[in-house]
Amino acid sequence: METTDVVIIGAGVLGCAVARELSRYRLSVTVLERAHDVGEGSSKANSGVLHAGFHPRGGSLKGRSCVEGNALMRTLVRELQVPFVESGGLMVAFHDDGVEKLRKKASQGRQNGVTDLSLVDGDAARVLEPRLSSKVIAALVAPTTAVVTPFHLVLAMAQNAAVNGVRFRFSAQVERVEGNADTGLGSALLPAGHRYLLHLTDGSRLAARFVANMAGDDAQRLDSLVHPADYEIQPRLGEFLVFDKQDPADAVTHVIYQAEETDEGGTLLAPTVEGNLLAGPTARNVSGFDVTASSADGLEHVRRVALKLIPDLDVSTVIANFAGVRANITNVAKEQKDFVVRASAEGFVSALGIKNPGLTASPALALLAIDELRKQGLRLELDPAFDPVRPAHVPFLKRPAADQERLLQEDPTHGHVICRCEGVTEGDVRAVLRESLPPHTIDGVKKRLRTGMGRCQGAFCTPRLVATMAALLDVPETAIVSGERGGHYVTRMAK
């Protein structure tokens, strides 16, 4: 039977944030993820916007953690070498009622700790964003709004945690939980000092002293195994449009929201780190967290709002659409809704209903979850060997000429282009296969190198990538496509 001090369930943005923070201490930590890679689910299907903190209700955990997480993110992206753009944000109004809503948002932001919000008129807003609609009469300016690539952030936190000793297990679904007599779950055959015995669907078992339930859409089910069910969570779908890379001469550079008008308030425009433009999301309830198909009506909604904000936007440059599902608590009044981070049982901490701005809030929520574990008895002794820096992989074609010459001598496969749109070589693929937590599917490489995310959406690179990975990892091509390998993550050296 495997044992660990802390088991973290879920390798999304919050689970990886907790893992990275716990790797600072002298602890054995294991992350269980039911999918085949980090950052699946809602962690990979969101806008990547780091919000300033004026959207959530004033004084709420959601609002406070958003502001604190936004500030903590600056250090995090520097240490982990994650690309990050200080875009700034504009929340715009088209009429007097909208201006009043901007004032209310500014008040909420200040209650949450945002200190640099300002209200400007439409002309001043168009100085900041020249293509903004001429019908905009005012805007709330939020300088701390920024953008990051979600899966790069999650991967960087996970890789840094792994280098510092955290173990990751994939295709590892927790089926049921037993606890010792002190947990109120009855007794289980557990090693001394271990409170919980986790049974996985593959038949394996894991004994843990503490549990951090950061499982996203599965968190409610796991919480109910140790705590009376008290929250109802509804899957809510958000659809996005992805535009081709912008011309820097007239690019939309700010994250642009609007004061809520009917059902339009949650839909935004956002530049991306890579130079694309993102529009979305929608918000509609769906029957399950696996329902991620976009709809014609939803994408038309996104298109309409995008054109309202930037009337000359060329919608013919849309290259992709995607959708993500977030966990929405439904049995709490809207004005009382909040993130939930609590000790659900002795030594068992759960995070429930974490949706937007969960990406922004994740560093702060991770600290809160760990503090809850500390209150439950987790001893936090700093490990002097902890290394906070994660060197980023820089693709071959983005390196200086001298580096390219050296790398070509070391590995001639850098001369074989796999993805023309994003400039990825076979040598780049080999390199990420040598990293900690390497990919073993085409989606995994996509998250690390952006293969298939360019203008042709994988028409050129997909067959080349599948054949290359199958050869390097000595597995059938079907395994690369399906992600059926799973298992414990160890670094695999490419041939």
Side-chain angles (χ1 to χ4, degrees), residues 206-400:
L206 175 65
R209 299 177 188 274
F210 298 88
V211 177
N213 171 21
M214 308 287 124
D217 60 58
D218 202 30
Q220 179 194 29
R221 178 185 71 85
L222 295 169
D223 183 77
S224 69
L225 298 178
V226 300
H227 186 281
D230 51 358
Y231 287 106
E232 296 175 6
I233 294 181
Q234 167 71 49
R236 180 164 290 180
L237 183 79
E239 297 146 295
F240 292 87
L241 290 174
V242 182
F243 291 77
D244 202 356
K245 291 183 178 179
Q246 303 184 84
D247 181 347
D250 65 351
V252 174
T253 59
H254 290 75
V255 177
I256 307 175
Y257 319 86
Q258 66 167 321
E260 186 174 351
E261 297 188 43
T262 62
D263 62 344
E264 297 176 352
T267 303
L268 56 80
L269 277 176
T272 70
V273 169
E274 294 80 14
N276 301 85
L277 185 66
L278 197 67
T282 54
R284 62 183 174 89
N285 293 339
V286 290
S287 59
F289 286 98
D290 58 345
V291 180
T292 57
S294 299
S295 67
D297 288 346
L299 296 180
E300 173 57 25
H301 166 97
V302 174
R303 186 194 70 83
R304 173 171 53 82
V305 176
L307 287 171
K308 180 180 180 181
L309 296 170
I310 305 291
D312 68 352
L313 195 62
D314 184 358
V315 294
S316 72
T317 62
V318 170
I319 60 173
N321 68 77
F322 68 92
V325 183
R326 57 261 203 196
N328 182 47
I329 295 174
T330 58
N331 64 329
V332 176
K334 183 176 181 180
E335 59 273 13
Q336 297 299 321
K337 279 187 185 181
D338 207 348
F339 290 160
V340 177
V341 178
R342 70 181 183 191
S344 304
E346 183 179 336
F348 192 112
V349 172
S350 292
L352 305 171
I354 310 300
K355 57 175 188 176
N356 190 45
L359 178 76
T360 313
S362 58
L365 295 176
L367 293 176
L368 178 59
I370 291 169
D371 191 53
E372 288 292 333
L373 291 173
R374 181 192 60 79
K375 292 175 183 177
Q376 294 291 312
L378 179 64
R379 184 181 177 190
L380 299 176
E381 179 186 351
L382 285 171
D383 184 349
F386 172 73
D387 183 357
V389 177
R390 192 254 359 188
H393 171 78
V394 180
F396 173 79
L397 292 175
K398 293 183 179 179
R399 291 175 177 265

Side-chain angles (χ1 to χ4, degrees), residues 110-130:
R110 294 183 185 110
Q111 290 178 63
N112 290 329
V114 188
T115 59
D116 53 0
L117 299 172
S118 60
L119 195 62
V120 301
D121 63 21
D123 290 337
R126 281 180 286 276
V127 170
L128 295 171
E129 197 62 72

Side-chain angles (χ1 to χ4, degrees), residues 92-160:
V92 303
F94 290 86
H95 48 65
D96 291 342
D97 287 346
V99 176
E100 182 57 32
K101 288 174 182 174
L102 296 186
R103 293 193 180 99
K104 290 180 180 179
K105 289 294 183 183
S107 176
Q108 287 184 181
R110 294 183 185 110
Q111 290 178 63
N112 290 329
V114 188
T115 59
D116 53 0
L117 299 172
S118 60
L119 195 62
V120 301
D121 63 21
D123 290 337
R126 281 180 286 276
V127 170
L128 295 171
E129 197 62 72
R131 294 171 63 190
L132 195 62
S133 170
S134 61
K135 296 180 180 180
V136 168
I137 64 171
L140 181 64
V141 182
T144 56
T145 304
V147 292
V148 68
T149 303
F151 25 88
H152 289 169
L153 174 65
V154 177
L155 177 66
M157 290 191 294
Q159 287 181 327
N160 188 236

Side-chain angles (χ1 to χ4, degrees), residues 10 17 28 31 42 52 71 94 104 168 172 174 187 189 196 238 249 258 297 347 353 359 366 426-427 488:
S28 60
V31 179
S42 60
F94 290 86
K104 290 180 180 179
F168 285 76
V174 176
S187 60
L189 187 60
Y196 293 98
Q258 66 167 321
D297 288 346
L359 178 76
E426 181 181 332
H488 296 212

